[in-house]
Structures are given as C-alpha cells and as structure tokens.
Amino acid sequence: MSKQQFALIAGVEITQGQVGSLDHGDIDGRHLWGDPVAAAQRWAGEGAQWVHVADLDAAAGTGSNADVVSRTVHAVRGRVRVEVAGGIRDQASLDRAFHLGADRVVLDPAALADQDWVASVIHAHPGRIAAGITAHHEGGLVAPGSEVDGLSVDEVVQRLRAAHCPAYVVTDVDAKGLRKSRDRHVLMAVCRDAPGAEVIAFGGITRLDDLHALADLAPHGVAGAVVDRALYTDAFTFAEAIAAIEPRFDMFFWGPPQP
C-alpha cells in the first residue's frame, strides 16, 4: 500500500446538534464548532474524498442527533463518500444508516458483543461495514455496559477476522498524539491481527507530524485517518493535511540517477 492510497477522512462528529469531539473517549461538551452541515460542505469543498459523520450522543446513549445526521449526510452525498457512525449496534440503527446513503457504516464497540449478528451484517453488506475499536493503551476494549467491555483487543479482532471484517476504525483513548510508538500501540496491534483489512486511525491527530507518522505506516496496514478537532481549532488546514500525506523527498538519500 502506498501513501497515495492513504485516505484522509474529515470528521464531522455531532453532539447537541453541533460539531463536537471526543476527549480521551468522552464527549467534550465545552467545545462546539457550529453547524455540522456547513462543516461537511466545507470539507467536501476543500478536497475531502471521505467524510465521517458520527452521532456522539447516540454512541454514548445520552440522546440522538438523527435529524442532523440525516441532513449532514444528504448535504454531501454524491460529492464525497460518507461513513456513518455513532449508536450503530443493532439492525434498526444499521438499516437507518444505510437508508441515509452511507457508503460505509461503523459498528459501535458494544455491537461486537453479538458476534453472530456482526458476522451476518458483514456478509450482507460486503465491503461496507467497519468495526469500531476503541481501547486503552494496554489493549482493553472500551464498550461501557457491554459484555465485551475490557475484553482484549487481540481477542476481539481475531473474532472479527474470522468473520472477514474488511475495515476497522481504531481509537486509543489514552493517546496524546501519534508521533510516538506507544500512542500507536493499539493501532499497530489491529494491523498485526487483521492483515489485509483497512485500518483507519481515529483520534490523537493534533499536528501535521501525526499525519506524517501515520502515512509512513501505510505499508504496515494503516489505510487512513479521521481528522477532526485539529481542523476546527485551525491547527492546520485541510490542504495542509492533504500535503502531509503525500510522498516526501528525502534530501539525505542519495542514489544513482534515474533514467
């Protein structure tokens, strides 16, 4: 896999009807960034090929932003590919996401408790299901209220691999960045346990150096990254993020002239 194949995904996460984000796995209700529809349209206009639309309140079990999710998806559907997440843990929520026109749907970590159902929907929607893997550094799955909460990520991924899960969206709730290997431990564990699958990094991207580090891991199975808070806090622009994943010339590498 080359860096050119690395997918840069703009995150539009929704809480209280506005763009929000997670802070180490919890909803950060102190920082909101306005209209999700406008945000999705902005990233589509700035070159995003994928937009990740997530209902944070549905994922937390504290509410629903279904109408806002619907309007956000419809605003960019056909212009970009759309990934829908947040509260997807049964057939009804999955059907609603696909009815909106989602290209891919991310299952909540709690949904992984019903392995038979997960295997059935992976089979029913080939290439369009991703498993949400949210975990701590030490490799324990974060799925409060579910029987898989605290389960070893290795064990969960082995089950998903047996079901031929094609994609994983991986969040390390303890990560403080992604430049250091310890903050990529969970991500690399999923790459190791699910060879050939698309592994998408989520969270921990605060600087362009984080994107450089992730793009360098493309040969190891990291297929892309969801960028969220950094875009809304103007840490960098989407154009700068696109440039960050392009192949870089190493001025210290010398080789024979190319024909």
Side-chain angles (χ1 to χ4, degrees):
M1 181 182 296
S2 68
K3 289 185 185 180
Q4 290 94 325
Q5 295 173 295
F6 189 91
L8 190 62
I9 304 172
V12 181
E13 299 168 277
I14 303 168
T15 180
Q16 303 173 51
Q18 299 189 61
V19 176
S21 69
L22 296 174
D23 183 13
H24 297 290
D26 296 320
I27 297 173
D28 179 3
R30 299 170 301 167
H31 301 98
L32 301 174
W33 294 288
D35 181 17
V37 173
Q41 291 174 324
R42 175 183 176 184
W43 308 134
E46 293 188 13
Q49 295 182 335
W50 275 92
V51 172
H52 174 95
V53 181
D55 187 337
L56 298 182
D57 297 327
T62 58
S64 172
N65 297 279
D67 180 61
V68 183
V69 169
S70 176
R71 288 190 285 109
T72 303
V73 172
H74 281 88
V76 294
R77 190 178 64 183
R79 297 172 59 194
V80 299
R81 300 184 74 186
V82 180
E83 179 176 88
V84 172
I88 314 295
R89 54 181 68 124
D90 57 25
Q91 193 64 47
S93 54
L94 181 75
D95 289 343
R96 284 194 296 271
F98 277 126
H99 182 71
L100 292 178
D103 294 282
R104 180 162 64 196
V105 176
V106 184
L107 305 181
D108 280 13
L112 306 181
D114 189 344
Q115 189 63 31
D116 290 339
W117 177 73
V118 170
S120 72
V121 299
I122 289 172
H123 177 74
H125 302 280
R128 300 181 67 193
I129 298 290
I133 302 292
T134 301
H136 289 290
H137 268 352
E138 64 271 18
L141 193 73
V142 177
S146 164
E147 65 186 56
V148 293
D149 185 45
L151 201 64
S152 161
V153 168
D154 290 340
E155 181 178 345
V156 171
V157 175
Q158 289 295 341
R159 294 181 186 178
L160 289 164
R161 183 181 178 187
H164 306 290
C165 184
Y168 300 79
V169 177
V170 181
T171 305
D172 182 337
V173 298
D174 301 321
K176 297 179 181 178
L178 290 169
R179 298 180 298 285
K180 297 180 179 179
S181 59
R182 67 170 179 268
D183 290 318
R184 304 194 301 264
H185 173 73
V186 175
L187 182 69
M188 297 311 296
V190 176
C191 289
R192 180 194 65 227
D193 293 338
E198 277 190 70
V199 180
I200 307 297
F202 196 114
I205 299 170
T206 60
R207 298 169 54 182
L208 290 174
D209 283 350
D210 295 315
L211 285 175
H212 290 316
L214 289 173
D216 285 341
L217 294 173
H220 300 281
V222 179
V226 178
V227 186
D228 51 3
R229 180 190 292 258
L231 294 174
Y232 299 101
T233 59
D234 297 322
F236 49 77
T237 67
F238 201 84
E240 289 171 333
I242 292 173
I245 65 171
E246 292 297 317
R248 288 173 287 157
F249 172 69
D250 186 350
M251 64 182 293
F252 296 105
F253 176 81
W254 293 90
Q258 300 298 309

